[in-house]
């Protein structure tokens, strides 16, 4: 199976991502979270990479970040709202929030004119995020306006080569150079929250974006001047110099000597911790290495973490697609029109009322139920009740759709009012454009 960040291949079999790509299941982390987000509780956020470090920082009151990007190539729909909510939730949990409007990507990959990128970025994304609760201390920027993103992308580009990008993205001899550069811009987006100081950063995305995450995690590591890793043969933690001045190892030794046993070699050191877990030693050495590295003008990046959410099926069944307006609901579309789409949506109901009463519906195959699950009902108990009633044949689709349609209507109406208020609040926000 191939994950394609620019295609719209729906992924049915999320479980396979665990074994095949090394995405970890999210579920075991839930018990460590004081008040998980609806999308987490409902297992819609199903996987992660190294989210533990973000959680640790969050719980310890240490700095951490959340970052995601939106391509301004069309209307923002309910799928995009999930990412927005995830960014906002982390910001409310104390994260430094960074939001990229990926206008370079939209322009060079999709051919969207700059002016249109600007308009879609503001109208479709920025206003809706503010309406959904993004606070003014967020860093919002258009890629094309950020010099730091462009120069970081160039640094990262010097650590990535053509064959690797071809293997990850399927680039060929026909791919334009600008298109090839787009993933490096995106990696710069993801690492940019750490330009001021190294910190754990979570990137909430759909699983189609995982190739970018893997590339960025690799690049983050390749950028670092010191390579820190656990000796696979049980010899403690090793630190190697990479293209860096020798004094760095001496400085690192000074940082660690009071706590650990250290043996120096030509070009590397070995660190041994007595009575401290291997994991703990590794973490402390990494932390010290980053401090030394920053002193020497390096970045000291922590590999970014990620969380992955499932995609909702299109309203009419099949994929949600921007070329099929019946299949999705945009955040800016007229509420009455959205309500009508819900009334026409695919359900998991039986062919007759009699059958529905006898056999019950199939909420697992019902897009109306998915709307409630993903978006429209916050209260878990209320949702469970709907589920149980549907299965038990106590719920009829006509009535159920009507309720969902009303809920969509109310949500959009309120959201759009908040968007108008957001327009008047824009000057409280830092928007680099
Ligand atoms: N490539 C993403 C998309 O197609 C958009 C994006 C740009 C992004 N920069 C990002 C996503 C940084 C996550 C993090 O939607
Ligand atoms: Fe879906 Fe509701 Fe019908 Fe059940 S009753 S299948 S949840 S529309």
């Amino acid at each position: 199976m191939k994950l394609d960040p620019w295609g719209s291949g729906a992924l049915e079999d999320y479980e396979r991502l665990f074994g095949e790509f090394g995405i970890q299941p999210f579920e075991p982390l839930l018990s460590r979270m004081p008040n998980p987000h609806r999308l987490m509780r409902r297992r819609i956020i199903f996987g992660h990479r190294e989210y533990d470090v973000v959680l640790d920082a969050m719980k310890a009151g240490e700095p951490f970040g959340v970052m995601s990007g939106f391509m301004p190539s069309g209307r923002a729909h309910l799928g995009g709202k999930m990412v927005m909510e995830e960014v906002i939730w982390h910001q409310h949990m104390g994260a430094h929030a960074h939001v990229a409007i990926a206008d370079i990507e939209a322009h060079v990959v999709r051919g969207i004119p700059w002016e249109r990128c600007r308009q879609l970025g503001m109208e479709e994304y920025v206003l809706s995020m503010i309406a959904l609760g993004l606070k003014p201390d967020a860093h919002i920027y258009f890629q094309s306006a950020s010099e730091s993103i462009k120069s970081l992308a160039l640094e990262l580009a010097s650590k990535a080569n053509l064959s690797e990008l071809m293997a990850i993205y399927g680039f060929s001899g026909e791919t334009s150079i600008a298109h090839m550069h787009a993933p490096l811009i995106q990696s710069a987006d993801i690492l940019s929250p750490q330009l001021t100081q190294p910190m754990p950063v979570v990137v909430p995305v759909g699983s189609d974006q995982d190739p970018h995450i893997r590339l960025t995690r690799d690049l983050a590591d390749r950028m670092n001047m010191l390579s820190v890793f656990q000796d696979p043969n049980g010899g403690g933690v090793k630190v190697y110099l990479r293209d860096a001045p020798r004094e760095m190892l001496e400085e690192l030794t000074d940082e660690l000597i009071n706590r650990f046993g250290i043996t120096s070699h030509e070009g590397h050191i070995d660190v041994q911790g007595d009575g401290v877990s291997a994991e703990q030693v590794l973490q402390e050495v990494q932390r010290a290495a980053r401090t030394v590295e920053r002193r020497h003008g390096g970045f000291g990046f922590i590999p970014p973490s990620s969380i992955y959410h499932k995609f909702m099926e299109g309203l009419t069944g099949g994929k949600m697609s921007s070329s099929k307006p019946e299949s999705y609901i945009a955040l800016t579309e007229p509420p009455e029109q959205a309500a009508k789409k819900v009334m026409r949506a695919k359900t998991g109901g039986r062919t007759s009322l009699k059958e529905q009463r006898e056999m019950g519906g199939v909420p697992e195959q019902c897009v109306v139920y998915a709307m409630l699950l993903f978006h429209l009902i916050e209260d878990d108990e209320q949702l469970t009740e709907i589920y149980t009633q549907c299965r038990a044949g106590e719920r009829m689709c006509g009535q159920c759709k009507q309720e969902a349609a009303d809920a969509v209507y109310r949500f959009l109406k309120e959201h759009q009012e908040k968007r108008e208020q957001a327009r008047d609040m824009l000057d409280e926000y830092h928007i680099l454009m």
Side-chain angles (χ1 to χ4, degrees), residues 36-334:
H37 187 266
R38 176 183 84 253
L39 297 170
M40 298 172 174
R41 300 195 308 264
R42 310 243 166 114
R43 317 283 192 267
I44 293 166
I45 294 174
F46 67 93
H48 74 100
R49 284 187 194 271
E50 253 188 303
Y51 187 69
D52 338 35
V53 296
V54 175
L55 205 50
D56 290 344
M58 191 190 293
K59 292 178 97 166
E62 285 166 10
F64 69 105
V66 60
M67 147 16 81
S68 203
F70 301 90
M71 190 156 42
S73 58
R75 305 185 76 181
H77 52 66
L78 292 178
K81 167 177 164 279
M82 288 199 274
V83 177
M84 297 181 190
E85 283 185 279
E86 291 170 62
V87 170
I88 293 164
W89 183 81
H90 282 93
Q91 184 189 36
H92 288 241
M93 296 302 284
H96 295 273
H98 296 252
V99 177
I101 302 299
D103 62 341
I104 293 187
E105 184 179 354
H107 184 73
V108 306
V109 178
R110 295 278 175 81
I112 315 285
W114 291 112
E115 194 41 47
R116 179 98 180 117
C117 287
R118 179 170 294 252
Q119 188 213 346
L120 287 172
M122 285 305 294
E123 283 296 318
E124 294 296 316
Y125 293 96
V126 176
L127 286 177
S128 278
M129 285 197 85
I130 297 175
L132 290 169
L134 188 74
K135 294 186 288 175
D137 61 2
H139 297 267
I140 307 170
Y141 64 91
F142 284 65
Q143 289 172 329
S144 66
S146 172
E147 286 312 315
S148 56
I149 290 296
K150 288 186 273 188
S151 38
L152 179 54
L154 186 68
E155 295 292 337
L156 298 170
S158 66
K159 303 283 179 199
N161 69 38
L162 181 56
S163 3
E164 158 175 59
L165 293 190
M166 286 179 26
I168 301 175
Y169 300 109
F171 291 159
S172 72
E174 312 305 309
T175 309
S176 80
I177 311 290
H179 186 160
M180 288 187 202
H181 193 57
L184 294 147
I185 298 270
Q186 176 158 356
S187 293
D189 287 333
I190 294 173
L191 294 171
S192 64
Q194 299 193 65
L195 285 173
T196 41
Q197 66 168 299
M199 64 175 93
V201 174
V202 59
V203 188
V205 281
S207 41
D208 62 318
Q209 297 290 310
D210 187 53
H212 288 309
I213 302 291
R214 276 183 292 159
L215 173 67
T216 309
R217 286 170 57 85
D218 259 14
L219 292 175
D221 179 58
R222 285 180 221 164
M223 290 301 286
N224 289 340
M225 302 157 92
L226 295 169
S227 160
V228 181
F229 58 94
Q230 199 112 51
D231 181 356
N233 306 314
V237 170
K238 292 182 171 295
V239 185
Y240 278 79
L241 276 182
R242 257 190 206 144
D243 251 354
R246 277 207 57 101
E247 312 88 83
M248 287 183 71
L249 281 185
E250 283 142 33
E251 286 178 36
L252 184 61
T253 307
D254 289 344
E255 295 271 338
L256 296 167
I257 194 84
N258 293 330
R259 212 154 137 61
F260 302 115
I262 298 186
T263 16
S264 296
H265 306 269
E266 183 61 34
H268 82 275
I269 60 173
D270 291 331
V271 186
Q272 304 280 352
D274 258 346
V276 187
S277 77
E279 186 51 32
Q280 180 76 23
V281 181
L282 182 65
Q283 274 183 21
E284 289 191 37
V285 177
Q286 280 170 333
R287 195 179 282 254
R290 287 195 289 268
T291 310
V292 172
E293 189 157 338
R294 294 290 288 200
R295 238 184 260 148
H296 285 262
F299 293 108
F301 289 135
I302 299 176
S305 307
S306 50
I307 51 178
Y308 301 98
H309 56 71
K310 296 183 186 171
F311 294 102
M312 215 188 93
E313 202 183 345
L315 291 175
T316 44
K319 281 182 211 160
M320 202 180 269
S321 152
S322 47
S323 60
K324 281 190 292 175
E326 283 300 302
S327 74
Y328 67 87
I329 288 170
L331 288 171
T332 48
E333 84 178 67

Side-chain angles (χ1 to χ4, degrees), residues 346-350 356 360-363 365-370 372 386-387 389-391 394-401:
K346 185 196 115 179
T347 73
R350 307 288 174 178
Q356 179 89 353
V362 189
Q365 287 171 18
C366 176
V367 188
V368 177
Y369 183 76
L372 304 175
I386 294 175
Y387 181 87
Q389 284 175 350
C390 173
R391 297 239 73 161
E394 291 158 10
R395 210 175 161 83
M396 299 300 128
C397 297
Q399 167 82 28
C400 189
K401 277 195 204 178

